[in-house]
Amino acid sequence: MTTGQHQDYMQRALELAAQGIGSVEPNPAVGCVVVKDRRIIGQGFHQRFGGPHAEINALADCRNHGFDPAGAMVYVTLEPCCHTGKTGPCTQALIEANVGAVVAAVQDPSDKIAGKGFDQLRQAGIDVTVGVCEAQARRLNAPFFKFANTGRPWVIAKWAQSIDGKLSWRNPPVDGNWISGSKSRQDVHQIRRRCQAILVGVNTIISDNPRLTVRIPGQSIERQPLRVVLDTHLRTPIDCHLTTTAEAPTLIAASEHAIQDNHDKAAAFREAGVELLPVNPCNQNPDLPYLLTELGRRGIQQLLVEGGPTVLSSFITQHLADELCVYIAPLLLGQDGIADMASALNVSAIPKLCDVKINTFEQDIKISALLSDDFIRTLLDPS
């Protein structure tokens, strides 16, 4: 089979894998295509966290359509797993199906696998090829690769702004303090769905009193993300939505000094089920690298930062953000707007953008991009 044909089948597997984004996290999104006699006889993808993996679904699809996968070539976007977790090992299923060859886009970086799946397949006499469409496969599961390599979450910095860079109204209209339109806000909930935590600063809690939950009409959300508040001085109101709604867990990152000095308030938060995490300041600001390490230790693979200019610019200028999602509304707020993002980013330490994508939601423009650093460059160009 030619290189071009290999790539065509892998492209189909990548398209399938992308359908799982938002439902499989913190697992990687994986797609699989089974080819025999130069035709696709089965295909599948990992559809939900805890559910069958892509290879299992693709093999089942073969059999459901009356095809025998014996001797077939299997294209998969990530190395097949070789351990028993929530499901059985995919390597064993492929061996028992007597497939002839496996073509994988990339090796799984996690310690449990990391080449062991390929070894099992080769020991069973199955031919293994690795590296077809590797850069695309890495990009598709960038958060998974970063977490496996660093132990820290993939950080998405998201905001909505007017054309002149204002994130909020000085005097909000009756229908709310929205900058972007309803379609953009619906898209934000899709991003929230793939994240395991959402972070804002205390000023956002005080001014907007958000719920910070995933709300998608017609869909039940099994696992709401952790709500994280940067609040050095423990100013979060005890009666805010984060403490009065039990639909999602909440963590407040405050200084140890503030927690001790506000003993009664701290006790009330704990009574309400809110966790207080001591995060001491670094140069008068929260120690963000420490916080990211702590969130990673808790298994947070993707973190969505939705704060105001101060919080957002802190992540960006400290080179802690990996991805931007910016919604630009057709508004010029001028003196009617506050929270100027352009002013907050008026420093020299701004990383460059790469892999830029532009979409529209009604009248809004969404710009998403990766923030280029050594890890991102290696991710996109593994050679």
Side-chain angles (χ1 to χ4, degrees), residues 104-126:
V106 64
Q107 177 176 297
D108 190 313
S110 57
D111 291 338
K112 290 181 179 179
I113 306 175
K116 300 181 185 72
F118 294 145
D119 290 343
Q120 283 190 11
L121 294 173
R122 290 187 177 108
Q123 289 167 9
I126 296 172

Side-chain angles (χ1 to χ4, degrees), residues 172-252:
V174 176
D175 58 350
N177 193 21
W178 306 114
I179 297 293
S180 58
S182 61
K183 294 296 184 183
S184 293
R185 299 198 296 273
Q186 290 173 23
D187 186 62
V188 170
H189 283 277
Q190 296 293 342
I191 299 174
R192 286 182 176 183
R193 185 180 181 182
R194 76 181 211 232
C195 296
Q196 292 77 57
I198 303 170
L199 182 147
V200 298
V202 64
N203 290 333
T204 296
I205 300 300
I206 292 171
S207 62
D208 296 344
N209 194 20
R211 294 182 182 274
L212 300 182
T213 55
V214 182
R215 301 182 298 279
I216 301 174
Q219 296 187 28
S220 61
I221 307 301
E222 294 181 8
R223 296 171 294 122
Q224 287 284 355
L226 173 70
R227 303 177 290 195
V228 181
V229 183
L230 289 181
D231 183 7
T232 300
H233 303 293
L234 203 60
R235 295 189 295 126
T236 299
I238 192 64
D239 60 349
C240 70
H241 282 143
L242 302 192
T243 58
T244 58
T245 57
E247 54 195 316
T250 300
L251 181 150
I252 297 177

Side-chain angles (χ1 to χ4, degrees), residues 38-297:
R38 297 183 183 273
R39 63 178 292 199
I40 295 175
I41 62 170
Q43 54 188 357
F45 64 97
H46 185 30
Q47 298 180 17
R48 62 178 180 83
F49 180 75
H53 288 186
E55 299 93 322
I56 306 303
N57 286 331
L59 291 173
D61 189 49
C62 290
R63 295 169 181 133
N64 289 339
H65 288 89
F67 295 110
D68 182 359
M73 185 169 287
V74 177
Y75 292 82
V76 62
T77 58
L78 186 70
E79 177 182 4
C81 70
C82 54
H83 66 285
T84 299
K86 289 183 178 295
T87 61
C90 293
T91 50
Q92 190 61 37
L94 292 169
I95 293 168
E96 291 176 357
N98 199 28
V99 303
V102 170
V103 179
V106 64
Q107 177 176 297
D108 190 313
S110 57
D111 291 338
K112 290 181 179 179
I113 306 175
K116 300 181 185 72
F118 294 145
D119 290 343
Q120 283 190 11
L121 294 173
R122 290 187 177 108
Q123 289 167 9
I126 296 172
D127 184 63
V128 175
T129 301
V130 185
V132 177
C133 302
E134 180 176 354
Q136 291 170 266
R138 285 172 170 269
R139 173 64 185 92
L140 179 72
N141 284 307
F144 177 74
F145 278 88
K146 180 188 178 182
F147 186 77
N149 280 278
T150 68
R152 284 184 177 179
W154 179 267
V155 177
I156 305 169
K158 166 262 159 185
W159 69 88
Q161 67 170 62
S162 62
I163 292 173
D164 51 344
K166 306 299 175 60
L167 273 58
S168 185
W169 294 83
R170 187 177 302 278
N171 297 298
V174 176
D175 58 350
N177 193 21
W178 306 114
I179 297 293
S180 58
S182 61
K183 294 296 184 183
S184 293
R185 299 198 296 273
Q186 290 173 23
D187 186 62
V188 170
H189 283 277
Q190 296 293 342
I191 299 174
R192 286 182 176 183
R193 185 180 181 182
R194 76 181 211 232
C195 296
Q196 292 77 57
I198 303 170
L199 182 147
V200 298
V202 64
N203 290 333
T204 296
I205 300 300
I206 292 171
S207 62
D208 296 344
N209 194 20
R211 294 182 182 274
L212 300 182
T213 55
V214 182
R215 301 182 298 279
I216 301 174
Q219 296 187 28
S220 61
I221 307 301
E222 294 181 8
R223 296 171 294 122
Q224 287 284 355
L226 173 70
R227 303 177 290 195
V228 181
V229 183
L230 289 181
D231 183 7
T232 300
H233 303 293
L234 203 60
R235 295 189 295 126
T236 299
I238 192 64
D239 60 349
C240 70
H241 282 143
L242 302 192
T243 58
T244 58
T245 57
E247 54 195 316
T250 300
L251 181 150
I252 297 177
S255 71
E256 191 167 7
H257 181 75
I259 295 172
Q260 292 174 350
D261 283 358
N262 294 275
H263 179 269
D264 290 345
K265 190 174 186 180
F269 276 127
R270 293 189 178 107
E271 180 67 23
V274 175
E275 180 182 357
L276 300 179
L277 175 68
V279 177
N280 290 319
C282 178
N283 298 323
Q284 305 302 314
N285 295 308
D287 188 343
L288 297 181
Y290 168 79
L291 177 61
L292 290 178
T293 298
E294 177 61 24
L295 292 176
R297 189 185 67 80

